[in-house]
Amino acid sequence: MMFSKDGVTMDLLNICNINKSYDKNQVLNNVSLNLKKGEVISIIGPSGSGKSTLLRCISGLEHMDSGLIKFNGITIAEANKKFNNNDVINACKKIGMVFQNFNLFPHKTVLNNIIEAPIIVNNINKKDAIDIAKKLLIKVDLLDKISAYPCTLSGGQKQRIAIARCLAMNPELILFDEPTSALDPKLVSEVLKVIKGLADDKISLLVVTHEMQFAREISDKVIFMENGEILETSTPELLFSNPKHTRIKQFLNLD
Amino acid sequence: MANFIDSTAYILQGSIFTIELYIATIIFSIPLGIIGALIKVSSFKILSKIVDIYTWLFRGTPLLLQLFFTYFGLPIIGIRFSPFTAAALTFSLNYGAYFTEIFRSGIQSIDKGQYEAAKVLGMSYRQTMSKIILPQAFKRIIPPTCNEGITLIKDTALVAAIGLQDILRAAREIVTRDFTITPFFIAAIIYLLFTSLIVLAFKKLEKKYSVYE
């Protein structure tokens, strides 16, 4: 745990009042959110509510119109500013992301998918990178696929490799952008099991998901988003059984 | 029969020049195409515009006209090339323009998720291009590049227009001398041999890269 001077647990991630619109369509409306080290937060809500865009702003894939994002106390993103200094680059390396469509590198084997970034970004030597990769493959239960190409894997296997690839960079925070939405229903559980393992390992997670039961099980906090706004932030017990907003009740079919 | 062998030998001599020009063009036009394509997909607006004009000009006018310009036109302003240099230069620039567009389309056909995955793993633009995007684009540009490779063999026949001795010109000389069209058949077979070699080489390359997808 990190502590600030006054002894209060420091946030790993602070999102302050971010706004984002595409043309005239406001996708993020004054969104703020804090995540502590080791915390698991799930974001739920209907499609088009801005959940994915929020994650993409954190990972630097989208620029914001206003607001700022801090990671470990360092400002990593701010509207209309470009950061190129080493502090920010190193901070961003500690944020991993797993995509809905896996985005594995099709021209590389499973092993090379995992070791490429540690070698060329973190300058780890190849032998160590391979050792790490093997451990991660055991963790996601896919060591037998080490020499396979992604095209030969099932969706669930691809996503587990994508998670292993992300873990190889030793992230402090992992952003999951609907990690099971592109999967065959019967392959969902194998991926959720791996993500659950990460939560048990106390890695901070921010998970956009449509799997309500899963969100309820793994999260410390659940956020409901709609129309680019956070409608409610609460513990999973409260939000799933007795949300304040009727809109959330409708969404969860509680009425 | 002796005549047939003589003719073949004479035409094959012409093919030495064809091969030299072919190799020279490939050596210069492919790097030119790679650089042009990388500029086109980059954010250097002015450079990209210049490359646009380059491909517009060289793809939009006949290769023969460009060859005339280099060999007969440039001497007017005091720039003189040997026939071979003029041909190699013109062919390289012309094919470089086509390769620029082929390579550009190859790079742009790669899914944007690949850039995003590389970015969240902390890779720089340079690393992303060299390790992730270009190797995948390479596979996709093999077939259109093969097409250009075949066309280039046949285009070398144009150099007869500036007095160079290639396969077709050698064949035509014998045709006019001996009043027989056999040399044309010989020339056709030599062209076919060359193009088959190119196709075979590219097929090998395609096969090598077919391990994924």
Side-chain angles (χ1 to χ4, degrees):
Chain A
M1 283 274 178
M2 292 180 74
F3 294 96
S4 63
K5 283 172 207 145
D6 53 1
V8 185
T9 310
M10 210 173 107
D11 290 328
L12 182 65
L13 179 75
N14 303 100
I15 297 171
C16 308
N17 306 316
I18 63 174
N19 284 284
K20 163 96 190 160
S21 41
Y22 296 114
D23 297 326
K24 278 175 187 160
N25 184 15
Q26 181 124 18
V27 272
L28 289 176
N29 188 0
N30 216 20
V31 172
S32 295
L33 150 72
N34 298 313
L35 181 142
K36 292 184 175 58
K37 222 176 159 73
E39 199 170 32
V40 177
I41 299 182
S42 293
I43 307 174
I44 60 168
S47 297
S49 57
K51 311 183 295 290
S52 292
T53 307
L54 176 60
L55 288 200
R56 293 170 62 82
C57 284
I58 300 167
S59 59
L61 296 175
E62 300 281 351
H63 296 291
M64 311 167 295
D65 299 337
S66 65
L68 68 89
I69 297 174
K70 281 184 177 186
F71 183 73
N72 268 333
I74 300 165
T75 304
I76 55 163
E78 195 172 345
N80 307 318
K81 278 191 189 173
K82 271 197 170 174
F83 294 100
N84 277 321
N85 61 65
N86 282 337
D87 284 351
V88 173
I89 291 171
N90 287 329
C92 290
K93 280 183 197 167
K94 291 287 172 192
I95 304 177
M97 183 161 181
V98 174
F99 300 88
Q100 181 176 351
N101 295 319
F102 330 122
N103 291 338
L104 291 177
F105 305 131
H107 62 304
K108 291 183 182 294
T109 60
V110 162
L111 178 68
N112 287 328
N113 260 280
I114 299 174
I115 65 175
E116 185 73 58
I119 292 173
I120 66 172
V121 178
N122 284 350
N123 299 317
I124 291 174
N125 75 57
K126 193 169 176 182
K127 199 184 152 293
D128 292 345
I130 292 174
D131 286 343
I132 296 168
K134 283 183 178 162
K135 280 187 192 126
L136 292 171
L137 283 172
I138 292 169
K139 196 184 181 100
V140 299
D141 201 17
L142 283 172
L143 188 58
D144 56 322
K145 297 290 182 190
I146 190 162
S147 314
Y149 280 92
C151 59
T152 63
L153 305 176
S154 73
Q157 291 171 332
K158 281 182 190 164
Q159 195 59 296
R160 279 143 68 198
I161 298 299
I163 293 171
R165 178 175 73 176
C166 170
L167 288 172
M169 293 299 284
N170 207 12
E172 290 178 44
L173 168 67
I174 304 179
L175 312 168
F176 282 93
D177 188 7
E178 302 194 25
T180 58
S181 298
L183 298 180
D184 205 310
K186 68 173 192 281
L187 301 175
V188 169
S189 67
E190 63 185 67
V191 172
L192 296 184
K193 202 178 115 197
V194 171
I195 301 174
K196 204 158 182 295
L198 303 178
D200 294 339
D201 290 347
K202 289 290 161 205
I203 299 177
S204 310
L205 309 177
L206 192 54
V207 187
V208 169
T209 185
H210 290 294
E211 301 286 335
M212 298 306 153
Q213 184 56 36
F214 170 69
R216 185 173 195 153
E217 278 170 31
I218 67 157
S219 311
D220 299 305
K221 267 195 253 171
V222 179
I223 290 172
F224 183 89
M225 274 184 84
E226 189 170 57
N227 298 328
E229 284 178 79
I230 292 181
L231 226 56
E232 187 166 335
T233 306
S234 181
T235 62
E237 293 77 23
L238 270 175
L239 194 129
F240 283 110
S241 56
N242 190 21
K244 283 184 233 132
H245 287 75
T246 47
R247 179 67 195 96
I248 305 177
K249 280 184 188 152
Q250 282 170 355
F251 181 79
L252 296 170
N253 291 325
L254 291 180
D255 288 325
Chain B
M1 192 61 202
N3 198 0
F4 178 79
I5 293 169
D6 281 349
S7 301
T8 310
Y10 188 69
I11 296 168
L12 275 175
Q13 267 177 14
S15 73
I16 292 172
F17 170 81
T18 297
I19 294 170
E20 283 172 349
L21 179 61
Y22 191 87
I23 292 171
T25 305
I26 291 294
I27 287 176
F28 290 106
S29 62
I30 288 189
L32 197 61
I34 295 173
I35 295 167
L38 284 174
I39 291 174
K40 274 206 160 186
V41 300
S42 76
S43 48
F44 303 119
K45 288 274 177 326
I46 297 169
L47 277 176
S48 168
K49 203 78 214 157
I50 292 170
V51 176
D52 271 348
I53 293 170
Y54 159 63
T55 55
W56 170 74
L57 197 63
F58 277 87
R59 296 198 309 163
T61 55
L63 176 55
L64 188 58
L65 176 66
Q66 294 162 17
L67 191 61
F68 284 156
F69 181 80
T70 317
Y71 190 63
F72 299 120
L74 288 181
I76 296 170
I77 53 164
I79 304 170
R80 257 167 237 284
F81 296 111
S82 71
F84 180 80
T85 312
L89 181 72
T90 312
F91 274 61
S92 296
L93 285 170
N94 181 279
Y95 275 78
Y98 283 98
F99 285 138
T100 294
E101 290 302 330
I102 290 174
F103 299 167
R104 176 198 56 76
S105 67
I107 293 170
Q108 288 179 338
S109 75
I110 304 300
D111 180 46
K112 123 178 172 305
Q114 295 288 306
Y115 290 90
E116 295 183 347
K119 182 164 190 202
V120 298
L121 286 167
M123 292 185 201
S124 63
Y125 181 74
R126 205 196 169 98
Q127 290 169 333
T128 305
M129 288 314 264
S130 65
K131 302 282 183 181
I132 309 302
I133 306 302
L134 293 182
Q136 292 184 62
F138 183 75
K139 181 187 172 171
R140 296 193 185 174
I141 60 162
I142 293 172
T145 305
C146 178
N147 269 341
E148 290 302 310
I150 293 168
T151 310
L152 175 56
I153 293 253
K154 296 175 292 178
D155 275 353
T156 54
L158 291 174
V159 296
I162 58 167
L164 286 162
Q165 188 75 352
D166 74 309
I167 298 173
L168 189 58
R169 182 170 155 148
R172 209 169 52 206
E173 279 176 5
I174 308 172
V175 170
T176 36
R177 190 191 65 195
D178 298 350
F179 296 108
T180 161
I181 58 155
T182 322
F184 282 151
F185 285 105
I186 299 171
I189 288 166
I190 296 173
Y191 277 119
L192 275 172
L193 276 175
F194 284 151
T195 50
S196 305
L197 267 177
I198 307 286
V199 170
L200 202 71
F202 274 94
K203 267 213 174 114
K204 276 236 160 80
L205 207 56
E206 242 178 279
K207 198 168 172 183
K208 190 180 156 207
Y209 281 88
S210 65
V211 287
Y212 70 89
E213 268 176 354

